[in-house]
Amino acid sequence: MPDTAMTDAPPLAAAPASAAVPALSVQDLTVQLFRRDAPIAAVNGVSFSLARGETLTILGESGSGKSVTLKTMMGLLPARARIGGTVRLNGRSLLDLPAAELARLRGRRISMVFQEPMSALDPVYTIGAQIAEAIVRHEGIGRAQAMARAQALLERVRIPSAARRLRNYPHEMSGGMRQRAMIALALACSPDVLLADEPTTALDVTVQIQILLLLRQLQEEMGMAMVFVTHDMGVAAEISDRVAVMYAGRFVETGSARQVIRTPGHPYTAGLLASTVHGGQRGGVLEAIQGAPPDLAALPAGCAFAPRCRFAEPDCTTTAPPTVARDGGGMVRCPRAAVPA
Amino acid sequence: MSATAISTDLPLDPRDRGGAAQPLLTVEGLRKHFPIHGGLLGRRRATVHAVDDVSFFVRKGETLGIVGESGCGKSTTARLLMRLIEPDAGNVVFDGETVGSRTGIDVTAMRRQMQMVFQDSYTSLNPRMTIGESIAYAPRIHGLAAAAATARANLLLEQVGLNPGQFARRYPHELSGGQRQRVNIARALALDPRLVILDEAVSALDKSVEAQVLNLLSDLKQRLHLTYLFISHDLNVVEFISDRVLVMYLGQVVETGPVETIYARPRHPYTRALFASKPTLDPDRRTLEPPLAGDPPNPIDPPSGCRFRTRCAFAVPACAETVPLLAPPQPGPSGRAPASPDDPLHLVACHRAVAQAGGEGLDA
Ligand SMILES: Nc1ncnc2c1ncn2[C@@H]1O[C@H](COP(=O)(O)OP(=O)(O)OP(=O)(O)O)[C@@H](O)[C@H]1O
Ligand SMILES: Nc1ncnc2c1ncn2[C@@H]1O[C@H](COP(=O)(O)OP(=O)(O)O)[C@@H](O)[C@H]1O
Ligand code: SF4
Ligand code: SF4
Ligand SMILES: [Mg+2]
Ligand SMILES: [Mg+2]
């Protein structure tokens, strides 16, 4: 999506984004990583733009490049990574920012929730100390005041007996509680953009739905923009305004959650839906997609889905498929897509 | 497929003992508590009630699904059945023969007929063996000659949809997750088992690959006349593959019955909340309220009486005092059809859901 506002002088990072400037805008993002010395094409031209209060879900199978996309925005990739394109937070370009500048924004204007909170929380500090430390570092207020804020945050993410829980170490909490604490930490400085990388994948269903509803509510109250990553179609339906389906480092289909789930246009999206077991299919044969996702170290030319696609034609393996626009700003990256109005 | 018709059309297995009507597996009062040691003297400080008085049966040719949240005892149950760990109490009867008793079947003989597939496709395979060798390993140990074992491995690879010429000489790290899980299934089938325990066997796979493996499992079951115990936390997958289901909570069975009954008319408050927590797959009918608050409590020192009472919206004082036992659910309120018409297999462990004299029912 071309965005003319992008050429304006960047506003101060802390300034509340005006309606014209998206909270987050990503243009032609490419990321190349290295395994031993072989290059891996992890992200191959991703573009989207997100307004305040909006949730975009990136839906894709493992290895499709979801986490790498999020980590790029947080500046968390290995030093050897080769990054192309632009990422703008409230109009301000992130990728060419000095590391110290980015560190100031991280956790303050943009923050991230991970699948496994144990890896993101520090095992040797209490939950309260970690949240208070983040507040002190970014806002320079006193410790006592920061601790009071930490307690209010724990209450806000509905951790019972918040005052007592402040003194817990991460390992003293259950999985669901830890994920709430992780969310409290991420929200400590009211970021404009929240990146959530499969935050409920490791949780039980009864806890998962609690966390999804909590995120939905907090996001509404705080007017954040959220990029939510999942491999689960049902989770996407619960949380998203818009959905982007990712395959081999590209968005192959974007649209409203309703469009993508009800009337998928791309053969991969349709196949994913057909192979997602849902109620009432008992005893039948599932319409599985044959084969497996491609090796990102040796991506085929043309459409990366072609080796698995029932509708593939010779030109699919030679030229990059064009995108077909759909109502409401979405697109399908396949010339043979049955794009419903 | 009606529940009662499942096993009747099976050809008779030469290993069959009691005929089609005798369950392949009967489990009675299975229990496993893990002591937790700590402190200076390493004294027992607490006990994890991982599996507590669990009873169920699996009929010949059916798939019994086990669902429940993390830590409720699904894998411990599976490991007890395989005798990878010793039970504290309880009986396991395999086709009429008590496992490990002098008059019954010994563990080694039982393991030839009962095999298991785990979630983690990678760590269950020896990284230094080709997959052909891995599959041929058990048959070799059981006395098959090298050439015959290799032929058997190739046949099994073919059965799980992997071309032996292309795959037999590969090492585990040269396969995708879905392919490795096919190899694990082939390996579990190598000794021609009658019962296969699948513990989260498709949970680590991507959806598109999970569907392939589920189709493979259904196909193998039919072709090889297998019986499955299918453990998963994925309610949709369990509904897809199972004939009957067992719902576990904190080491106990809270409800069991035919899959249609349990999914259409669950009676235990936990089962209902569990199903209601499933994401809807419909952006226009999103979940508005979480059906349950809080996490599952710790299996160390579980609540007295009904273990679900700390999260149950229907709890009454009696729930803290007496342990609810599995029993047929009460009929629905007058004027409505009974909750489970002629369904003697449907059992629920809840004071307020079972038929009781003068009691206050859930639906009343
Ligand atoms: N060797 C052990 N020592 C102590 N506790 C154990 C041991 N094995 C299992 N447990 C505990 O027993 C309980 C049941 O564990 P189990 O692995 O059977 O759960 P599960 O239902 O398979 O869960 P999941 O869905 O996470 O696989 C858990 O609380 C677990 O921590
Ligand atoms: N630090 C890294 N070094 C090399 N390759 C990586 C690294 N992180 C991720 N990758 C590779 O990049 C691809 C995309 O990974 P990722 O974004 O983590 O996928 P997912 O969609 O499952 O989150 C995968 O092939 C993965 O193996
Ligand atoms: S571009 Fe060709 S191969 Fe790719 S999804 Fe469309 S039809 Fe299939
Ligand atoms: S026995 Fe009581 S606490 Fe347990 S599920 Fe039934 S009503 Fe709830
Ligand atoms: Mg990831
Ligand atoms: Mg388990």
Side-chain angles (χ1 to χ4, degrees):
Chain A
M1 234 181 291
D3 198 334
T4 45
M6 293 291 89
T7 51
D8 291 48
L12 287 177
S18 70
V21 181
L24 183 67
S25 135
V26 173
Q27 291 295 315
D28 283 323
L29 184 70
T30 57
V31 180
Q32 205 176 50
L33 298 167
F34 295 87
R35 189 177 294 138
R36 285 179 216 108
D37 274 323
I40 293 169
V43 180
N44 303 303
V46 159
S47 303
F48 64 90
S49 140
L50 204 56
R52 287 179 66 86
E54 226 186 347
T55 299
L56 171 76
T57 291
I58 303 181
L59 177 74
E61 298 184 83
S62 80
S64 57
K66 308 182 297 294
S67 297
V68 170
T69 303
L70 295 196
K71 284 180 188 162
T72 312
M73 299 184 229
M74 289 292 283
L76 294 176
L77 288 180
R80 264 194 89 185
R82 215 176 286 154
I83 306 172
T86 58
V87 175
R88 286 170 193 274
L89 178 67
N90 296 329
R92 182 180 186 183
S93 173
L94 287 187
L95 295 181
D96 40 22
L97 227 46
E101 283 277 293
L102 190 59
R104 276 202 326 119
L105 294 182
R106 199 191 297 143
R108 182 172 167 77
R109 307 259 61 101
I110 181 167
S111 56
M112 185 151 164
V113 180
F114 299 87
Q115 170 170 347
E116 195 20 86
M118 266 317 232
S119 62
L121 295 168
D122 193 326
V124 303
Y125 294 103
T126 64
I127 293 296
Q130 294 185 53
I131 298 177
E133 206 274 326
I135 299 175
V136 170
R137 175 159 34 96
H138 286 300
E139 301 185 8
I141 63 173
R143 258 201 82 77
Q145 211 185 335
M147 203 49 113
R149 279 258 299 274
Q151 181 175 334
L153 278 159
L154 291 193
E155 277 157 12
R156 191 149 191 203
V157 298
R158 296 205 206 89
I159 290 183
S161 344
R164 189 166 56 81
R165 289 293 179 183
L166 279 179
R167 294 192 296 274
N168 273 180
Y169 291 91
H171 75 266
E172 295 174 308
M173 299 181 130
S174 65
M177 196 99 75
R178 268 201 298 269
Q179 198 52 283
R180 288 172 196 271
M182 170 90 239
I183 292 169
L185 176 63
L187 300 185
C189 299
S190 313
D192 301 317
V193 174
L194 180 68
L195 308 176
D197 192 357
E198 311 222 23
T200 62
T201 301
L203 303 176
D204 284 313
V205 269
T206 64
V207 183
Q208 164 169 283
I209 195 73
Q210 296 171 30
I211 299 289
L212 290 177
L213 294 181
L214 176 71
L215 280 172
R216 227 157 69 186
Q217 188 199 340
L218 291 172
Q219 188 236 13
E220 236 162 71
E221 287 171 10
M222 303 173 65
M224 286 179 300
M226 176 155 75
V227 184
F228 190 100
V229 158
T230 182
H231 66 273
D232 187 322
M233 196 77 83
V235 168
E238 288 284 355
I239 195 94
S240 346
D241 300 316
R242 289 191 289 142
V243 174
V245 181
M246 194 161 193
Y247 189 79
R250 284 194 191 96
F251 286 176
V252 295
E253 172 157 13
T254 61
S256 69
R258 193 171 297 111
Q259 285 175 320
V260 172
I261 292 169
R262 289 261 179 80
T263 52
H266 197 279
Y268 172 66
T269 317
L272 200 57
L273 260 170
S275 48
T276 298
V277 187
H278 47 268
Q281 290 172 300
R282 192 169 120 60
V285 176
L286 296 169
E287 250 181 78
I289 307 176
Q290 294 313 307
D295 179 2
L296 297 180
L299 270 187
C303 175
F305 187 60
R308 308 173 76 186
C309 182
R310 282 192 291 150
F311 309 103
E313 301 273 347
D315 63 323
C316 297
T317 54
T318 54
T319 33
T323 59
V324 180
R326 66 189 303 171
D327 278 2
M331 64 85 187
V332 181
R333 196 181 292 279
C334 169
R336 273 165 277 282
V339 180
Chain B
M1 216 191 299
S2 101
T4 41
I6 289 164
S7 47
T8 47
D9 51 353
L10 284 187
L12 207 57
D13 188 307
R15 296 166 293 181
D16 195 296
R17 302 274 158 174
Q22 171 167 288
L24 186 56
L25 189 74
T26 308
V27 176
E28 293 160 350
L30 199 60
R31 189 174 81 210
K32 183 70 186 178
H33 290 179
F34 294 105
I36 297 182
H37 299 279
L40 271 181
L41 300 171
R43 271 192 297 239
R44 175 187 280 230
R45 283 177 52 219
T47 305
V48 180
H49 294 239
V51 169
D52 234 346
D53 196 18
V54 162
S55 303
F56 61 90
F57 60 90
V58 190
R59 290 164 161 161
K60 288 169 185 164
E62 80 172 342
T63 297
L64 177 69
I66 304 189
V67 295
E69 292 175 284
S70 176
C72 71
K74 306 182 295 295
S75 298
T76 304
T77 302
R79 285 156 66 214
L80 288 169
L81 296 178
M82 288 300 292
R83 284 298 166 102
L84 301 174
I85 48 177
E86 280 302 308
D88 297 340
N91 265 334
V92 176
V93 180
F94 190 89
D95 202 2
E97 297 182 299
T98 303
V99 177
S101 89
R102 253 186 307 115
T103 52
I105 182 173
D106 66 47
V107 171
T108 316
M110 176 274 292
R111 281 202 194 127
R112 286 194 67 147
Q113 302 194 50
M114 186 149 102
Q115 287 285 317
M116 185 156 165
V117 179
F118 298 89
Q119 165 167 3
D120 189 336
S121 66
Y122 202 75
T123 55
S124 3
L125 289 169
N126 184 335
R128 274 180 282 279
M129 276 192 195
T130 66
I131 63 168
E133 289 163 355
S134 269
I135 299 170
Y137 187 76
R140 282 284 285 149
I141 296 230
H142 282 83
L144 212 58
T150 304
R152 171 111 186 105
N154 287 344
L155 177 74
L156 285 160
L157 276 172
E158 215 144 315
Q159 278 182 334
V160 298
L162 296 174
N163 180 339
Q166 205 182 334
F167 287 95
R169 285 155 190 278
R170 290 206 200 172
Y171 287 90
H173 74 267
E174 297 173 300
L175 303 184
S176 71
Q179 290 166 341
R180 273 199 300 269
Q181 205 55 303
R182 288 173 189 265
V183 173
N184 277 315
I185 292 167
R187 216 172 46 134
L189 298 178
L191 294 177
D192 204 6
R194 297 169 71 194
L195 177 70
V196 183
I197 301 177
L198 300 136
D199 187 1
E200 304 279 4
V202 297
S203 305
L205 304 175
D206 278 319
K207 287 295 158 198
S208 71
V209 178
E210 177 188 78
Q212 297 168 12
V213 176
L214 286 172
N215 283 341
L216 171 69
L217 287 173
S218 309
D219 178 51
L220 287 172
K221 180 171 177 255
Q222 279 205 337
R223 277 198 287 151
L224 307 176
H225 311 298
L226 297 167
T227 300
Y228 287 158
L229 190 63
F230 189 92
I231 297 174
S232 175
H233 67 277
D234 187 325
L235 301 167
N236 289 323
V237 168
V238 167
E239 179 182 13
F240 173 74
I241 201 146
S242 307
D243 299 302
R244 285 191 308 121
V245 216
L246 202 67
V247 186
M248 287 184 72
Y249 187 78
L250 277 187
Q252 297 185 318
V253 179
V254 296
E255 185 161 11
T256 175
V259 73
E260 297 91 342
T261 312
I262 298 289
Y263 277 70
R265 293 182 299 279
R267 299 303 306 273
H268 197 282
Y270 173 66
T271 316
R272 291 181 176 187
L274 186 67
F275 289 172
S277 298
K278 228 170 39 161
T280 51
L281 250 183
D282 182 350
D284 292 323
R285 285 180 32 235
R286 290 177 170 190
T287 310
L288 299 176
E289 276 297 322
L292 278 184
D295 293 359
N298 203 314
I300 301 172
D301 303 326
S304 67
C306 174
R307 293 186 178 181
F308 184 58
R309 70 178 163 82
T310 51
R311 297 168 91 193
C312 182
F314 305 94
V316 291
C319 302
E321 281 150 32
T322 12
V323 177
L325 301 176
L326 279 172
Q330 66 183 354
S334 55
R336 272 214 269 144
S340 318
D342 62 10
D343 199 349
L345 296 170
H346 188 186
L347 300 174
V348 55
C350 166
H351 293 310
R352 301 193 58 191
V354 301
Q356 55 183 318
E360 224 187 316
L362 273 184
D363 291 330

